[in-house]
Amino acid sequence: METTLRGVGVSHGVAIGEVRHMGTAVLEPPARQIAAEEAEREQGRARQAVDAVAADLMARGNLAGGEAQAVLEAQAMMAQDPELMADVERRIAVGSTAERGVYDAFAAYRELLAGAGEYLAGRVADLDDVRNRIVARLLGVPMPGVPDSDEPYVLVARDLAPADTALLDPALVLGFVTEEGGPTSHSAILARALGVPAVVALPGAGDLAEGTLIAVDGSTGDIFVNPSEEKKAQLEAAAAERKAALAASTGPGATADGHKVPLLANVGGPSDVPAAVEAGAEGVGLFRTEFLFLDDSKNAPSEEKQTQAYRQVLEAFPESRVVVRVLDAGADKPLDFLTPADEPNPALGVRGLRTLLDHPDILRTQLTALAKAAEGLPVYLEVMAPMVADRADAKAFADACREAGLRAKFGAMVEIPSAALRARSILQEVEFLSLGTNDLAQYTFAADRQVGAVSRLQDPWQPALLDLVALSAEAAKAEGKSCGVCGEAASDPLLACVLTGLGVTSLSMGAASIPYVRAALAKYTRAQCERAAAAARTADSAADARSAAQAVLSGE
């Protein structure tokens, strides 16, 4: 019998296949006391297992590249955290086996993270994955991971660790469904990069029986269990129609009446550039530079290393706009040489621009490297600061750019509600705004972007979030400056039309989403987008906002 479930669609497309569940390691090893003379040997086993898992995560990152590489390298750093390792060794010294010492030390750290709120609680899934991998290696059991199968399938899991998501084979994994996660979780972002249909935050996903036939609509979030032949045909026809529309849509982003909306790419490093170029990106709207700094959490990369990496990206987009975000360290991206170890709530502490202003040498080196990387290139370089709260922040960043001799436009990210509310003030100091809707939603609704239980508040269709976007766009228009969106909201084709109607001047997203957004914009006039935006803002919920916009654009 056909039934329908509803989760949160986070990656476009339709997948129809049988359910295969994610395998897990033995989570709790037996409690066995060891003799005192065995402690040193067990400590050595623990260190070897930790180093092997960290090396495996780094290798997976190198294979995956781009955003996935940064995420996996952060996990490797988590595995080798010196305080965590010291706790493991203390537990072994008083009689625990290596595997039990690892399990108990990680459990204690897990409890701390789970109660920390905001970003850190969202790292629990990553921590569990690291623990499982270390314990599995020590016990000699298979690593947790995707199931072995010769036939394509739909992967179902409570949550997907970045190490698994990053190396999914789209030829075998038709799509995936998770019980946890949200629209801006690591798994969602990586799914979009892979172009794999995905639905997250589906209650009871784990209850789907192995081998059950399901159809996954990554655009709507609908899961059809035991779909009828009619439903399968309907979904396949819709997917074919969408594919044809994508193929027919080429060139710069624009509405049906010719209003230009540049479609830019979000990139995490040089390895993301080929996909962006292939998708027809008109430039880069968000170049995340963290990937360089995650290579070594104890030391900042040299000016030469930074210059080389930045130039590789800049060279790929001649005569195009490339917007670089300077280092956004802190919260879920701690760096030993920058991040305070004792912050009670890092997401609300010293993060982003605040960190850089506390370490002006790091900021100066990065800005100097960017200036050198752009020398002699026909590229329109723009540099922006993360986590700008007010005009004083914007001025401090602009002053630092000028002192470094940077010939570029200086901008500010709008990720804190205060920046949206006072956008016109901030624009007295900088030349453009870029809305990071992931963090803007998180801080507006006090809803951790990694926690499935609050995913409805992370929905970028929330009317309050649309109001903040409108405030920012109106301020930029009044000042004769630009206001783009570089958060995941821009990757939703329908929402992209609404953002255009709100006055946003450019949209930046993962390369895989660009064709979908280009095709959607080309179907509607600017006036239709404006009417859809107005309708969405009158709603009282995210679902009603989406429905209202859809009704306007479909002529209902």
Short mmCIF file of all heavy atoms in Angstrom, two decimals, residues 248-299:
data_model
loop_
_atom_site.label_atom_id
_atom_site.label_comp_id
_atom_site.label_asym_id
_atom_site.label_seq_id
_atom_site.Cartn_x
_atom_site.Cartn_y
_atom_site.Cartn_z
N ALA A 248 17.78 23.12 -21.79
CA ALA A 248 17.40 24.23 -22.67
C ALA A 248 17.81 25.59 -22.12
O ALA A 248 17.83 26.59 -22.84
CB ALA A 248 15.89 24.21 -22.90
N SER A 249 18.12 25.62 -20.83
CA SER A 249 18.45 26.89 -20.19
C SER A 249 19.96 27.09 -20.14
O SER A 249 20.67 26.34 -19.49
CB SER A 249 17.87 26.91 -18.77
OG SER A 249 18.23 28.09 -18.10
N THR A 250 20.44 28.10 -20.86
CA THR A 250 21.88 28.39 -20.87
C THR A 250 22.09 29.89 -20.76
O THR A 250 21.13 30.67 -20.84
CB THR A 250 22.53 27.89 -22.18
OG1 THR A 250 21.86 28.50 -23.30
CG2 THR A 250 22.42 26.37 -22.29
N GLY A 251 23.33 30.29 -20.60
CA GLY A 251 23.66 31.71 -20.58
C GLY A 251 23.53 32.33 -19.20
O GLY A 251 23.29 31.65 -18.20
N PRO A 252 23.67 33.66 -19.12
CA PRO A 252 23.60 34.36 -17.84
C PRO A 252 22.22 34.24 -17.20
O PRO A 252 21.21 34.06 -17.89
CB PRO A 252 23.92 35.81 -18.21
CG PRO A 252 24.58 35.74 -19.55
CD PRO A 252 23.98 34.56 -20.23
N GLY A 253 22.18 34.37 -15.89
CA GLY A 253 20.92 34.33 -15.18
C GLY A 253 20.10 35.59 -15.46
O GLY A 253 20.62 36.71 -15.43
N ALA A 254 18.81 35.40 -15.72
CA ALA A 254 17.94 36.53 -15.99
C ALA A 254 16.49 36.09 -15.89
O ALA A 254 16.17 34.92 -16.09
CB ALA A 254 18.21 37.12 -17.37
N THR A 255 15.61 37.03 -15.57
CA THR A 255 14.18 36.74 -15.56
C THR A 255 13.66 36.73 -17.00
O THR A 255 14.38 37.10 -17.94
CB THR A 255 13.42 37.80 -14.75
OG1 THR A 255 13.68 39.09 -15.33
CG2 THR A 255 13.86 37.80 -13.29
N ALA A 256 12.40 36.35 -17.17
CA ALA A 256 11.83 36.22 -18.51
C ALA A 256 11.81 37.54 -19.27
O ALA A 256 11.86 37.56 -20.51
CB ALA A 256 10.40 35.67 -18.41
N ASP A 257 11.77 38.66 -18.54
CA ASP A 257 11.75 39.97 -19.21
C ASP A 257 13.13 40.61 -19.26
O ASP A 257 13.25 41.81 -19.50
CB ASP A 257 10.74 40.90 -18.52
CG ASP A 257 11.01 41.07 -17.04
OD1 ASP A 257 11.66 40.18 -16.45
OD2 ASP A 257 10.56 42.06 -16.44
N GLY A 258 14.18 39.82 -19.01
CA GLY A 258 15.53 40.31 -19.22
C GLY A 258 16.21 40.97 -18.04
O GLY A 258 17.33 41.47 -18.18
N HIS A 259 15.58 40.96 -16.87
CA HIS A 259 16.24 41.52 -15.67
C HIS A 259 17.38 40.59 -15.26
O HIS A 259 17.17 39.42 -14.95
CB HIS A 259 15.23 41.67 -14.53
CG HIS A 259 15.86 42.04 -13.22
ND1 HIS A 259 16.49 43.25 -13.02
CD2 HIS A 259 15.95 41.36 -12.05
CE1 HIS A 259 16.94 43.31 -11.78
NE2 HIS A 259 16.63 42.18 -11.17
N LYS A 260 18.59 41.11 -15.25
CA LYS A 260 19.77 40.27 -15.00
C LYS A 260 19.91 39.94 -13.51
O LYS A 260 19.82 40.82 -12.65
CB LYS A 260 21.04 40.96 -15.50
CG LYS A 260 21.09 41.09 -17.01
CD LYS A 260 22.40 41.73 -17.47
CE LYS A 260 22.46 41.83 -19.00
NZ LYS A 260 23.71 42.47 -19.45
N VAL A 261 20.16 38.67 -13.25
CA VAL A 261 20.43 38.18 -11.90
C VAL A 261 21.65 37.26 -12.00
O VAL A 261 21.52 36.07 -12.27
CB VAL A 261 19.24 37.40 -11.30
CG1 VAL A 261 19.52 37.05 -9.84
CG2 VAL A 261 17.94 38.19 -11.44
N PRO A 262 22.86 37.79 -11.84
CA PRO A 262 24.05 36.96 -11.97
C PRO A 262 24.00 35.73 -11.05
O PRO A 262 23.64 35.85 -9.87
CB PRO A 262 25.19 37.91 -11.56
CG PRO A 262 24.65 39.27 -11.88
CD PRO A 262 23.19 39.19 -11.56
N LEU A 263 24.32 34.58 -11.63
CA LEU A 263 24.33 33.32 -10.88
C LEU A 263 25.79 32.92 -10.65
O LEU A 263 26.52 32.61 -11.60
CB LEU A 263 23.58 32.24 -11.65
CG LEU A 263 22.11 32.56 -11.97
CD1 LEU A 263 21.45 31.41 -12.71
CD2 LEU A 263 21.33 32.90 -10.70
N LEU A 264 26.18 32.95 -9.41
CA LEU A 264 27.57 32.73 -9.02
C LEU A 264 27.70 31.41 -8.27
O LEU A 264 26.70 30.81 -7.85
CB LEU A 264 28.05 33.88 -8.15
CG LEU A 264 27.74 35.29 -8.67
CD1 LEU A 264 28.05 36.35 -7.63
CD2 LEU A 264 28.51 35.56 -9.96
N ALA A 265 28.93 30.96 -8.08
CA ALA A 265 29.17 29.67 -7.42
C ALA A 265 29.78 29.86 -6.04
O ALA A 265 30.61 30.76 -5.83
CB ALA A 265 30.09 28.81 -8.27
N ASN A 266 29.38 28.99 -5.13
CA ASN A 266 30.07 28.88 -3.84
C ASN A 266 31.19 27.85 -4.01
O ASN A 266 30.93 26.73 -4.46
CB ASN A 266 29.11 28.39 -2.75
CG ASN A 266 28.01 29.39 -2.43
OD1 ASN A 266 28.10 30.55 -2.79
ND2 ASN A 266 26.98 28.94 -1.75
N VAL A 267 32.40 28.20 -3.65
CA VAL A 267 33.52 27.25 -3.76
C VAL A 267 34.30 27.22 -2.46
O VAL A 267 34.37 28.20 -1.73
CB VAL A 267 34.46 27.60 -4.94
CG1 VAL A 267 33.70 27.65 -6.26
CG2 VAL A 267 35.20 28.91 -4.70
N GLY A 268 34.88 26.04 -2.21
CA GLY A 268 35.68 25.88 -1.00
C GLY A 268 37.17 25.82 -1.30
O GLY A 268 37.98 25.71 -0.39
N GLY A 269 37.53 25.87 -2.59
CA GLY A 269 38.94 25.81 -2.95
C GLY A 269 39.07 25.51 -4.43
O GLY A 269 38.08 25.38 -5.16
N PRO A 270 40.29 25.40 -4.95
CA PRO A 270 40.52 25.18 -6.38
C PRO A 270 39.83 23.94 -6.93
O PRO A 270 39.42 23.92 -8.09
CB PRO A 270 42.05 25.05 -6.46
CG PRO A 270 42.56 25.84 -5.28
CD PRO A 270 41.55 25.62 -4.20
N SER A 271 39.65 22.91 -6.11
CA SER A 271 39.04 21.67 -6.62
C SER A 271 37.57 21.83 -6.97
O SER A 271 37.01 21.01 -7.70
CB SER A 271 39.20 20.54 -5.60
OG SER A 271 38.56 20.87 -4.38
N ASP A 272 36.92 22.87 -6.47
CA ASP A 272 35.51 23.12 -6.78
C ASP A 272 35.32 23.90 -8.08
O ASP A 272 34.20 24.04 -8.57
CB ASP A 272 34.83 23.90 -5.65
CG ASP A 272 34.62 23.06 -4.41
OD1 ASP A 272 34.65 21.82 -4.52
OD2 ASP A 272 34.42 23.64 -3.33
N VAL A 273 36.41 24.44 -8.61
CA VAL A 273 36.31 25.33 -9.77
C VAL A 273 35.80 24.65 -11.04
O VAL A 273 34.93 25.19 -11.73
CB VAL A 273 37.67 26.03 -10.01
CG1 VAL A 273 37.69 26.70 -11.38
CG2 VAL A 273 37.93 27.05 -8.91
N PRO A 274 36.30 23.44 -11.41
CA PRO A 274 35.83 22.83 -12.66
C PRO A 274 34.31 22.66 -12.72
O PRO A 274 33.69 22.95 -13.75
CB PRO A 274 36.54 21.48 -12.68
CG PRO A 274 37.79 21.71 -11.88
CD PRO A 274 37.38 22.65 -10.79
N ALA A 275 33.69 22.22 -11.62
CA ALA A 275 32.23 22.04 -11.61
C ALA A 275 31.52 23.37 -11.78
O ALA A 275 30.49 23.46 -12.45
CB ALA A 275 31.80 21.36 -10.32
N ALA A 276 32.07 24.42 -11.16
CA ALA A 276 31.46 25.74 -11.27
C ALA A 276 31.52 26.27 -12.71
O ALA A 276 30.55 26.81 -13.23
CB ALA A 276 32.16 26.72 -10.33
N VAL A 277 32.65 26.08 -13.33
CA VAL A 277 32.82 26.52 -14.73
C VAL A 277 31.88 25.74 -15.64
O VAL A 277 31.21 26.30 -16.52
CB VAL A 277 34.29 26.36 -15.18
CG1 VAL A 277 34.43 26.64 -16.67
CG2 VAL A 277 35.19 27.31 -14.38
N GLU A 278 31.81 24.41 -15.43
CA GLU A 278 30.95 23.56 -16.26
C GLU A 278 29.48 23.94 -16.12
O GLU A 278 28.71 23.86 -17.08
CB GLU A 278 31.14 22.10 -15.88
CG GLU A 278 30.38 21.13 -16.77
CD GLU A 278 30.60 19.68 -16.39
OE1 GLU A 278 31.47 19.41 -15.53
OE2 GLU A 278 29.90 18.82 -16.93
N ALA A 279 29.08 24.37 -14.91
CA ALA A 279 27.68 24.74 -14.68
C ALA A 279 27.33 26.11 -15.23
O ALA A 279 26.17 26.52 -15.19
CB ALA A 279 27.38 24.69 -13.18
N GLY A 280 28.34 26.83 -15.74
CA GLY A 280 28.09 28.15 -16.30
C GLY A 280 28.04 29.25 -15.27
O GLY A 280 27.39 30.29 -15.49
N ALA A 281 28.71 29.07 -14.16
CA ALA A 281 28.75 30.12 -13.13
C ALA A 281 29.34 31.39 -13.72
O ALA A 281 30.33 31.35 -14.47
CB ALA A 281 29.58 29.67 -11.93
N GLU A 282 28.73 32.51 -13.37
CA GLU A 282 29.18 33.81 -13.90
C GLU A 282 30.27 34.43 -13.02
O GLU A 282 30.63 35.60 -13.20
CB GLU A 282 27.99 34.75 -14.02
CG GLU A 282 26.94 34.25 -15.00
CD GLU A 282 25.65 35.04 -14.93
OE1 GLU A 282 25.69 36.27 -15.15
OE2 GLU A 282 24.60 34.43 -14.64
N GLY A 283 30.78 33.65 -12.10
CA GLY A 283 31.79 34.12 -11.18
C GLY A 283 31.65 33.34 -9.88
O GLY A 283 30.97 32.31 -9.82
N VAL A 284 32.29 33.84 -8.85
CA VAL A 284 32.23 33.21 -7.53
C VAL A 284 31.60 34.18 -6.55
O VAL A 284 32.06 35.32 -6.42
CB VAL A 284 33.64 32.81 -7.05
CG1 VAL A 284 33.61 32.30 -5.61
CG2 VAL A 284 34.24 31.75 -7.96
N GLY A 285 30.54 33.75 -5.89
CA GLY A 285 29.87 34.62 -4.93
C GLY A 285 30.30 34.36 -3.52
O GLY A 285 30.06 35.19 -2.62
N LEU A 286 30.93 33.21 -3.27
CA LEU A 286 31.46 32.89 -1.94
C LEU A 286 32.63 31.94 -2.10
O LEU A 286 32.46 30.77 -2.45
CB LEU A 286 30.38 32.24 -1.07
CG LEU A 286 30.86 31.69 0.29
CD1 LEU A 286 31.42 32.81 1.15
CD2 LEU A 286 29.73 30.97 1.02
N PHE A 287 33.82 32.46 -1.89
CA PHE A 287 35.03 31.65 -1.87
C PHE A 287 35.41 31.49 -0.40
O PHE A 287 35.90 32.41 0.23
CB PHE A 287 36.12 32.34 -2.68
CG PHE A 287 37.46 31.61 -2.70
CD1 PHE A 287 37.62 30.35 -2.17
CD2 PHE A 287 38.57 32.22 -3.27
CE1 PHE A 287 38.84 29.70 -2.20
CE2 PHE A 287 39.80 31.59 -3.31
CZ PHE A 287 39.93 30.33 -2.77
N ARG A 288 35.12 30.30 0.15
CA ARG A 288 35.45 30.03 1.55
C ARG A 288 36.94 29.72 1.63
O ARG A 288 37.41 28.78 0.99
CB ARG A 288 34.65 28.83 2.06
CG ARG A 288 33.14 28.99 1.96
CD ARG A 288 32.46 27.71 2.48
NE ARG A 288 31.01 27.79 2.41
CZ ARG A 288 30.28 27.35 1.40
NH1 ARG A 288 30.89 26.82 0.34
NH2 ARG A 288 28.98 27.44 1.42
N THR A 289 37.66 30.45 2.44
CA THR A 289 39.11 30.26 2.50
C THR A 289 39.56 29.38 3.67
O THR A 289 40.75 29.18 3.87
CB THR A 289 39.82 31.63 2.60
OG1 THR A 289 39.33 32.33 3.75
CG2 THR A 289 39.56 32.45 1.35
N GLU A 290 38.60 28.82 4.43
CA GLU A 290 38.96 28.02 5.60
C GLU A 290 39.79 26.78 5.25
O GLU A 290 40.56 26.29 6.05
CB GLU A 290 37.71 27.56 6.35
CG GLU A 290 36.98 28.64 7.11
CD GLU A 290 36.14 29.52 6.19
OE1 GLU A 290 35.38 29.00 5.37
OE2 GLU A 290 36.28 30.75 6.27
N PHE A 291 39.58 26.26 4.01
CA PHE A 291 40.23 25.00 3.64
C PHE A 291 41.74 25.07 3.82
O PHE A 291 42.39 24.09 4.18
CB PHE A 291 39.87 24.61 2.20
CG PHE A 291 40.64 25.36 1.14
CD1 PHE A 291 41.69 24.76 0.49
CD2 PHE A 291 40.30 26.67 0.80
CE1 PHE A 291 42.40 25.46 -0.48
CE2 PHE A 291 41.00 27.35 -0.16
CZ PHE A 291 42.06 26.74 -0.81
N LEU A 292 42.31 26.23 3.58
CA LEU A 292 43.76 26.40 3.73
C LEU A 292 44.20 26.32 5.19
O LEU A 292 45.28 25.82 5.51
CB LEU A 292 44.19 27.75 3.15
CG LEU A 292 44.40 27.83 1.65
CD1 LEU A 292 44.55 29.27 1.22
CD2 LEU A 292 45.63 27.03 1.26
N PHE A 293 43.36 26.82 6.07
CA PHE A 293 43.73 26.92 7.47
C PHE A 293 43.46 25.62 8.23
O PHE A 293 44.05 25.38 9.28
CB PHE A 293 42.96 28.07 8.13
CG PHE A 293 43.36 29.42 7.64
CD1 PHE A 293 42.88 29.92 6.44
CD2 PHE A 293 44.24 30.22 8.37
CE1 PHE A 293 43.25 31.17 5.97
CE2 PHE A 293 44.62 31.48 7.91
CZ PHE A 293 44.12 31.96 6.71
N LEU A 294 42.59 24.76 7.71
CA LEU A 294 42.28 23.50 8.38
C LEU A 294 43.34 22.44 8.15
O LEU A 294 43.33 21.40 8.79
CB LEU A 294 40.92 22.99 7.89
CG LEU A 294 39.71 23.82 8.36
CD1 LEU A 294 38.46 23.35 7.65
CD2 LEU A 294 39.54 23.74 9.86
N ASP A 295 44.27 22.70 7.22
CA ASP A 295 45.36 21.75 7.00
C ASP A 295 46.20 21.56 8.25
O ASP A 295 46.74 20.49 8.49
CB ASP A 295 46.28 22.24 5.86
CG ASP A 295 45.67 21.98 4.50
OD1 ASP A 295 44.70 21.20 4.44
OD2 ASP A 295 46.15 22.55 3.51
N ASP A 296 46.35 22.61 9.01
CA ASP A 296 47.20 22.59 10.20
C ASP A 296 46.57 23.51 11.24
O ASP A 296 46.64 24.73 11.12
CB ASP A 296 48.61 23.07 9.85
CG ASP A 296 49.57 23.05 11.05
OD1 ASP A 296 49.10 22.76 12.17
OD2 ASP A 296 50.76 23.31 10.85
N SER A 297 45.94 22.92 12.26
CA SER A 297 45.20 23.74 13.23
C SER A 297 46.12 24.54 14.14
O SER A 297 45.67 25.41 14.88
CB SER A 297 44.30 22.85 14.09
OG SER A 297 45.07 22.05 14.97
N LYS A 298 47.43 24.22 14.11
CA LYS A 298 48.36 24.89 15.04
C LYS A 298 49.11 26.05 14.40
O LYS A 298 49.67 26.88 15.11
CB LYS A 298 49.35 23.87 15.61
CG LYS A 298 48.67 22.73 16.37
CD LYS A 298 49.69 21.82 17.01
CE LYS A 298 49.01 20.63 17.69
NZ LYS A 298 48.03 21.04 18.71
N ASN A 299 49.11 26.11 13.08
CA ASN A 299 49.87 27.16 12.40
C ASN A 299 49.10 27.70 11.21
O ASN A 299 48.47 26.93 10.47
CB ASN A 299 51.22 26.61 11.90
CG ASN A 299 52.07 26.05 13.03
OD1 ASN A 299 52.64 26.80 13.81
ND2 ASN A 299 52.14 24.73 13.11
#
